[in-house]
Amino acid sequence: MLAAHVHLGTKNLDNKMIPYIWKRRSDGLYIINLAKTWEKLMLAARIVVAIENPADVCVISARPYGQRAVLKFGQYTGANYMAGRYTPGTFTNQIQQQFQEPRLLVITDPRTDSQPLKESSFVNIPTVAFCDTDSPLRFVDVAIPANNKGKQSIGLLYWLMAREVLRLRNVIPRQHPWDIMVDMFFYRDPEEAEKEAEAAAEEAKAIEAPTEAFGGVAPGGFGEVPAGSADWAQPGTQEWGAAPAAGQEWGA
């Protein structure tokens, strides 16, 4: 959690986030108490497990850094996820095609996900939120104090919560580490992904190099006879058992 900068807050502090702060650095950044982050993370995992149907849990992230994390969290835990822009009225407008009635809402940032947070208060949906030092806690039932602005931090938090949910459901044992790497939950830049794909294609082309560099034999031409060479299938003009010609010795 320290390596992913989960403990780093911002230079601003909300009044209700004071109990989760450990101290303030000399440069003005507030440091989050990771012990309370871990406690709230385990509490949130227990709340998720308490929902009988995993599809009744809705995970939302409008922030780009959290979109892949919520997708992977929904994939491994069976929860419903919304990545990207939230359509207003999804929880309140019953005429809408995308209307949903989840029993639990998990959001990445109370500020960027303010619309689903506000709608959840209208229909009495309990809400779990990852809150930074400057995040408003209105309509939030369980606040997990953490850095919700870094891509490593968001990915690690969702990975930890997904692992604890699966452990409480007895899907994976506690004695063995989870075989899913935390990198699967990290945000990947599309440009970097394209560069990696291009590099992999170039490596594949290098492996399948032209055969001219290895002797000049074309593919499928192993049965062809090179020009100017004798045909070994034709009988030779000289027999092995014939006597040597006059004036010719074997030892010469």
Side-chain angles (χ1 to χ4, degrees):
M1 295 174 78
L2 289 173
H5 303 296
V6 177
H7 63 293
L8 295 182
T10 61
K11 292 185 178 181
N12 299 324
L13 178 63
D14 190 83
N15 188 32
K16 294 183 180 179
M17 289 295 294
I18 293 177
Y20 305 112
I21 301 302
W22 182 54
K23 72 172 187 178
R24 190 179 186 183
R25 287 197 323 196
S26 57
D27 57 355
L29 280 178
Y30 287 97
I31 304 299
I32 299 171
N33 191 345
L34 289 182
K36 296 188 177 181
T37 301
W38 181 257
E39 291 176 4
K40 286 300 189 76
L41 203 60
M42 296 301 104
L43 175 62
R46 290 175 179 271
I47 295 173
V48 173
V49 174
I51 307 297
E52 293 86 358
N53 185 9
D56 287 339
V57 179
C58 186
V59 190
I60 297 178
S61 175
R63 190 183 293 274
Y65 285 171
Q67 293 179 5
R68 189 179 184 188
V70 299
L71 189 147
K72 294 296 181 181
F73 181 85
Q75 176 184 349
Y76 292 114
T77 63
N80 188 15
Y81 58 88
M82 294 183 187
R85 183 181 180 275
Y86 172 81
T87 304
T90 303
F91 297 152
T92 55
N93 188 3
Q94 299 182 4
I95 307 175
Q96 208 177 75
Q97 268 188 343
Q98 300 176 352
F99 176 71
Q100 296 182 15
E101 291 181 300
R103 295 184 57 191
L104 179 65
L105 182 65
V106 181
I107 60 176
T108 306
D109 188 358
R111 197 177 297 277
T112 57
D113 301 321
S114 60
Q115 183 66 28
L117 183 62
K118 187 177 181 181
E119 291 186 10
S120 67
S121 67
F122 294 157
V123 291
N124 296 327
I125 300 174
T127 305
V128 177
F130 294 106
C131 299
D132 211 334
T133 56
D134 60 346
S135 298
L137 297 187
R138 191 182 183 189
F139 304 136
V140 176
D141 297 297
V142 177
I144 303 174
N147 176 14
N148 58 9
K149 296 177 176 60
K151 54 184 178 181
Q152 284 89 3
S153 175
I154 295 174
L156 178 63
L157 290 169
Y158 274 106
W159 182 82
L160 288 171
M161 190 160 66
R163 185 185 65 174
E164 185 63 23
V165 167
L166 294 178
R167 283 178 174 178
L168 291 173
R169 290 177 181 169
N170 291 327
V171 177
I172 57 175
R174 288 189 178 273
Q175 291 77 16
H176 303 287
W178 194 20
D179 55 354
I180 303 299
M181 299 295 293
V182 68
D183 299 355
M184 298 292 292
F185 286 71
F186 287 168
Y187 169 79
R188 293 186 63 188
D189 191 4
E191 295 181 358
E192 293 181 0
E194 289 179 2
K195 290 180 181 178
E196 291 179 2
E198 291 176 0
E202 290 178 0
E203 289 180 2
K205 288 181 181 178
I207 293 174
E208 298 175 359
T211 54
E212 287 79 4
F214 301 99
V217 181
F222 293 100
E224 298 178 0
V225 179
S229 61
D231 191 356
W232 296 97
Q234 296 179 0
T237 56
Q238 185 178 2
E239 295 184 1
W240 291 97
Q248 183 178 2
E249 296 182 0
W250 293 100

